[in-house]
Amino acid sequence: MHVFLKGFLKNLLERSWPVSASLRYLLFLRQSRRDALLVEKVAATLGLAVLSCHLRTPGHPKKDTLFILAGGSSVNELSPANWGEVDQGLSIGINFWPIHPYVPDILTSETDSKTPSNQFLNTLLAHPAIMEKSPAMLMLRTLWPPVSDVLPVLPPVFAGKTWVYGRANLVTRRLENLHGDLRKVIKAVKLGRVPPPVLPDNGSSVARLTFYGIAQGFKRIVWVGVDQNSGHYFWTEPPVPSHFEKAAKEVPRTTGEPHSTSSSVNRSFSNDHFLRALAQTLADDFDTQIYVSSATSSLSDTVPVFAWQNSKAD
């Protein structure tokens, strides 16, 4: 009887019926509230602040465009003039972004519960250029209890500028339900119904930070280096320039293999599907446009390429 009931409820939950969609939304909100409590617990233990995703990052006035900076090799296509355009918006660099000489407004960090923090990345975080610009830091909450060895070593410049946030996945695992469920979750984020420190997720920094941009009110979001393919990182693309040689050795990439977030083994959907669906839902229902920075991104078949004001030829 128990097995039958469990199967019945699972089947009901994944139906395309309105009642099923409402149940999935309520379960998502419950998961969000639970994660918000964990965020507060982790942040208090670490002596860090809790993110409120609707509040503007201190020191950064409202901008028109959010640039999310990832690690794909298409980053190398941007010219100095293009980086000047990035300067005009709000920029967020994901995880190993400090390898790049461009210092964004915000950096991000995420760890697992076992792997020690990357010493190479810790060194990069103390680079003089980062010290000079003094970006903010968004840190994905760790599991409980926090283990100090897995946390990045943050220089004093990040004191008072580091916020801890959490995540919550959508409940559905059926592509047929994804657009409708995204519509409900996006609306909830915009209306402040999702706990302030929690960002919807699909096992992807790009997804979480896009929701951060939604909460911040951006109508234009550019995915830079979100190539979602089997190619190189920007620091491993041959010929590797001298300033990336150490990074290519310390953080290598095996080409020819699918991008790690293309797998649905540890997430509800492959991000090949999720990111396309997210971009389409935002454009169709919320007057918010997602762009990729380059036609070489595999997502450019459905996500429009950003029209840089200046030619990429330098």
Side-chain angles (χ1 to χ4, degrees), residues 168-170 200-204 207-208 261 267-271 274:
N169 290 331
L170 274 67
D201 191 18
N202 188 59
S204 162
R208 293 191 299 272
T261 66
R267 51 184 57 83
S268 298
F269 298 96
S270 161
N271 275 303
F274 188 89

Side-chain angles (χ1 to χ4, degrees), residues 1-312:
M1 181 65 181
H2 174 72
V3 174
F4 171 79
L5 182 59
K6 184 177 180 181
F8 172 79
L9 291 174
K10 183 177 180 180
N11 183 54
L12 173 64
L13 200 60
E14 286 292 14
R15 292 284 187 174
S16 299
W17 301 332
V19 65
S20 300
S22 295
L23 283 173
R24 292 193 299 272
Y25 173 66
L26 291 173
L27 287 172
F28 167 79
L29 290 181
R30 184 182 71 171
Q31 179 187 348
S32 299
R33 289 191 290 269
R34 288 177 173 176
D35 212 79
L37 294 175
L38 180 56
V39 169
E40 293 175 1
K41 194 174 178 181
V42 169
T45 300
L46 298 178
L48 298 173
V50 172
L51 177 69
S52 182
C53 64
H54 293 87
L55 297 180
R56 196 163 299 128
T57 305
H60 298 291
K62 184 173 175 57
K63 305 287 185 69
D64 292 330
T65 307
L66 172 63
F67 294 90
I68 298 175
L69 311 177
S73 62
S74 66
V75 166
N76 294 327
E77 299 175 20
L78 272 67
S79 69
N82 298 148
W83 288 115
E85 192 167 349
V86 175
D87 272 337
Q88 302 307 306
L90 183 74
S91 55
I92 306 180
I94 293 174
N95 301 334
F96 279 93
W97 183 262
I99 290 171
H100 199 279
Y102 181 84
V103 182
D105 300 304
I106 302 172
L107 291 169
T108 72
S109 168
E110 63 177 288
T111 66
D112 59 33
S113 59
K114 298 178 181 179
T115 307
S117 64
N118 187 287
Q119 293 306 309
F120 176 62
L121 180 57
N122 289 337
T123 301
L124 292 175
L125 289 171
H127 191 281
I130 291 180
M131 297 298 98
E132 180 180 353
K133 185 161 183 180
S134 184
M137 173 68 75
L138 300 185
M139 181 184 294
L140 180 62
R141 60 109 182 107
T142 65
L143 298 179
W144 183 262
V147 179
S148 58
D149 289 350
V150 307
L151 299 172
V153 179
L154 298 180
V157 71
F158 290 102
K161 301 182 67 176
T162 300
W163 288 270
V164 181
Y165 74 98
R167 60 183 174 186
N169 290 331
L170 274 67
V171 173
T172 188
R173 289 181 174 269
R174 293 186 64 207
L175 278 173
E176 295 86 347
N177 295 332
L178 185 54
H179 285 285
D181 287 14
L182 277 171
R183 195 176 300 116
K184 285 180 175 292
V185 168
I186 292 168
K187 183 177 180 181
V189 169
K190 294 175 74 69
L191 294 176
R193 293 173 182 165
V194 179
V198 174
L199 297 174
D201 191 18
N202 188 59
S204 162
S205 296
V206 174
R208 293 191 299 272
L209 295 174
T210 299
F211 279 105
Y212 176 75
I214 294 167
Q216 292 278 303
F218 283 97
K219 291 292 188 178
R220 294 202 311 173
I221 300 174
V222 184
W223 292 338
V224 179
V226 184
D227 298 346
Q228 212 62 27
N229 59 28
S230 59
H232 285 278
Y233 295 135
F234 67 75
W235 62 88
T236 64
E237 183 180 41
V240 177
S242 58
H243 61 281
F244 285 156
E245 286 179 353
K246 185 171 178 59
K249 181 179 179 181
E250 296 285 344
V251 191
R253 172 81 190 272
T254 302
T255 58
E257 297 180 355
H259 191 276
S260 60
T261 66
S262 293
S263 170
S264 59
V265 173
N266 297 317
R267 51 184 57 83
S268 298
F269 298 96
S270 161
N271 275 303
D272 298 346
H273 297 303
F274 188 89
L275 294 178
R276 286 179 171 89
L278 178 57
Q280 181 180 337
T281 305
L282 284 168
D284 290 349
D285 298 303
F286 296 95
D287 191 31
T288 298
Q289 187 62 63
I290 302 292
Y291 300 91
V292 290
S293 63
S294 167
T296 59
S297 167
S298 69
L299 301 178
S300 65
D301 59 349
T302 60
V303 181
V305 178
F306 185 64
W308 297 96
Q309 295 176 2
N310 301 286
S311 169
K312 292 187 181 182

